[in-house]
């Protein structure tokens, strides 16, 4: 069992916490690209790692992720007008581009130092990328910003990848514990008295105490769960990639990859992202 101090260390992810600083060294998915479908469309609220942000796709199709409050009077930029390569606050019309730079202050008559004033009125923004049908953000020091994670599905055609997201009312570590716990599938995901001709994934649930073998890697770890199965063993292999990604091994005769990410919204809520893909062919409609 973790102590209270250990639990707080692992689950608190605000800007000033050790785990929050750690998470900020990685690219995080924050939205599905389809949630920002068109240039100059409606902004979207984003909460990640204890920060309240707003995302928008500008006139040129670039995605911005900026602080939600206008620096002038604190108005919520979620209600801003997304127009002509910037998000304009509805209160006094101050306008900000995808880099958080103030590009227009229409309620001030331009003095000689107007351009300098606009530069000082910027708001925090973060680097954004799009890949694999997701919008990604990097919130750490720019001088050590890594590349996007080199996962196979990020470079596949859209018809071969499906992504989704949903809310967990728990901290990110509680979600992770369920993700990497293979024993629970024998109970939570099992059938009562499965027949002899049931699919393998149903029949393997008869062994609720799998033997676990863990192999550490430079990106996290993988583990094999060995269950007694018919006259032999059934191995279920799962990859864990820092800081919060899983990859679940498909059956050898069905090469479809899948896994999940668990992105902290705050210390009590988590956004789950699921991915599923086929490396060679498009996904079927029911997949």
């Amino acid at each position: 069992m973790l102590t209270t101090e250990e639990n707080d260390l692992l689950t608190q992810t605000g800007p000033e916490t050790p785990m929050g600083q750690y998470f900020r060294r990685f690219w995080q998915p924050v939205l599905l690209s389809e949630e920002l479908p068109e240039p100059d469309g409606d902004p979207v609220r984003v909460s990640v790692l204890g920060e309240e942000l707003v995302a928008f796709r500008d006139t040129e199709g670039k995605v911005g992720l900026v602080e939600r409050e206008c620096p002038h009077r604190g108005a919520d930029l979620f209600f801003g007008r997304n127009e002509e390569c910037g998000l304009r606050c509805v209160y006094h019309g101050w306008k900000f581009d995808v880099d958080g730079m103030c590009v227009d202050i229409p309620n001030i008559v331009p003095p000689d130092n107007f351009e300098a004033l606009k530069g000082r009125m910027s708001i925090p923004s973060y680097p954004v990328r799009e890949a694999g049908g997701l919008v990604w953000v990097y919130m750490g020091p720019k001088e050590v910003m890594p590349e996007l994670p080199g996962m196979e599905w990020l470079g596949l055609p859209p018809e071969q990848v499906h992504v989704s997201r949903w809310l967990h009312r728990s901290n990110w570590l509680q979600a992770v514990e369920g993700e990497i716990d293979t024993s629970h599938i024998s109970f939570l995901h099992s059938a009562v008295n499965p027949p002899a001709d049931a699919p393998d994934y149903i029949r393997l649930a008869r062994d609720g105490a799998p033997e676990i073998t863990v192999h550490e890697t430079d990106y996290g770890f993988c583990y094999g769960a060995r269950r007694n199965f018919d006259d032999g063993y059934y191995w279920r292999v799962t990859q864990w990639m820092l800081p919060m990604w899983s990859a679940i091994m498909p059956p050898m005769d069905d090469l479809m990859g899948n896994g999940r990410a668990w992105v902290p919204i705050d210390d009590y809520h988590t956004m789950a992202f699921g991915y599923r893909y086929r490396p060679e062919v498009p996904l079927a409609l029911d997949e």
Side-chain angles (χ1 to χ4, degrees):
M1 295 292 291
L2 296 179
T3 65
T4 299
E5 292 74 21
E6 290 170 334
N7 186 75
D8 289 346
L9 175 65
L10 289 172
T11 60
Q12 294 178 1
T13 57
E16 305 304 322
T17 64
M19 189 57 74
Q21 291 295 315
Y22 181 69
F23 264 93
R24 283 166 172 78
R25 297 299 184 98
F26 297 85
W27 286 92
Q28 312 287 335
V30 291
L31 288 172
L32 309 182
S33 288
E34 65 186 34
E35 294 179 88
L36 295 171
E38 58 188 18
D40 293 339
D42 292 339
V44 177
R45 288 189 178 107
V46 172
S47 300
V48 59
L49 298 177
E51 298 190 35
E52 302 298 325
L53 309 171
V54 62
F56 65 101
R57 190 182 298 277
D58 76 2
T59 310
E60 298 176 351
K62 294 183 290 186
V63 175
L65 193 63
V66 301
E67 185 175 275
R68 195 177 297 175
E69 289 188 357
C70 176
H72 180 215
R73 288 314 238 342
D76 192 338
L77 290 173
F78 168 74
F79 298 105
R81 296 201 305 270
N82 185 10
E83 59 186 20
E84 299 176 347
C85 290
L87 192 58
R88 189 180 294 280
C89 178
V90 295
Y91 198 4
H92 290 93
W94 290 29
K95 183 178 177 181
F96 303 90
D97 65 14
V98 294
D99 297 316
M101 296 299 298
C102 183
V103 295
D104 190 23
I105 306 180
N107 67 324
I108 297 177
V109 176
D112 293 339
N113 64 347
F114 183 61
E115 293 302 320
L117 177 63
K118 288 195 300 183
R120 293 202 305 271
M121 293 299 104
S122 63
I123 55 177
S125 68
Y126 293 109
V128 174
R129 302 284 186 273
E130 288 189 86
L134 299 176
V135 175
W136 303 71
V137 64
Y138 175 74
M139 303 172 69
K142 292 185 179 179
E143 63 271 16
V144 292
M145 183 170 65
E147 297 296 324
L148 285 174
M151 290 183 276
E152 178 181 39
W153 55 277
L154 294 187
L156 294 177
E159 62 270 16
Q160 292 174 222
V161 181
H162 179 265
V163 290
S164 57
R165 75 180 181 107
W166 61 95
L167 175 68
H168 273 251
R169 298 187 185 278
S170 71
N171 65 54
W172 76 276
L173 189 60
Q174 289 170 307
V176 166
E177 288 174 329
E179 177 74 350
I180 62 176
D181 165 29
T182 189
S183 178
H184 82 275
I185 70 171
S186 297
F187 305 94
L188 183 62
H189 303 297
S190 67
V192 177
N193 300 321
D197 60 350
D200 289 355
Y201 71 90
I202 295 294
R203 293 189 294 126
L204 69 88
R206 292 169 175 164
D207 185 352
E211 181 178 324
I212 306 296
T213 301
V214 178
H215 173 67
E216 292 190 9
T217 68
D218 58 358
Y219 56 82
F221 64 84
C222 67
Y223 75 84
R226 193 187 77 177
R227 284 177 165 84
N228 294 309
F229 187 76
D230 294 339
D231 295 327
Y233 299 115
Y234 189 106
W235 284 88
R236 179 182 170 89
V237 180
T238 297
Q239 301 274 350
W240 182 254
M241 298 166 285
L242 294 171
M244 53 10 174
W245 287 93
S246 71
I248 300 170
M249 190 70 173
M252 294 302 295
D253 59 352
D254 185 24
L255 293 180
M256 181 170 66
N258 71 95
R260 283 170 285 272
W262 309 92
V263 180
I265 296 174
D266 54 32
D267 297 345
Y268 307 99
H269 303 85
T270 300
M271 189 60 66
F273 287 84
Y275 65 91
R276 176 175 289 186
Y277 70 98
R278 288 197 179 277
E280 304 292 344
V281 297
L283 290 165
L285 189 61
D286 62 353
E287 295 174 338

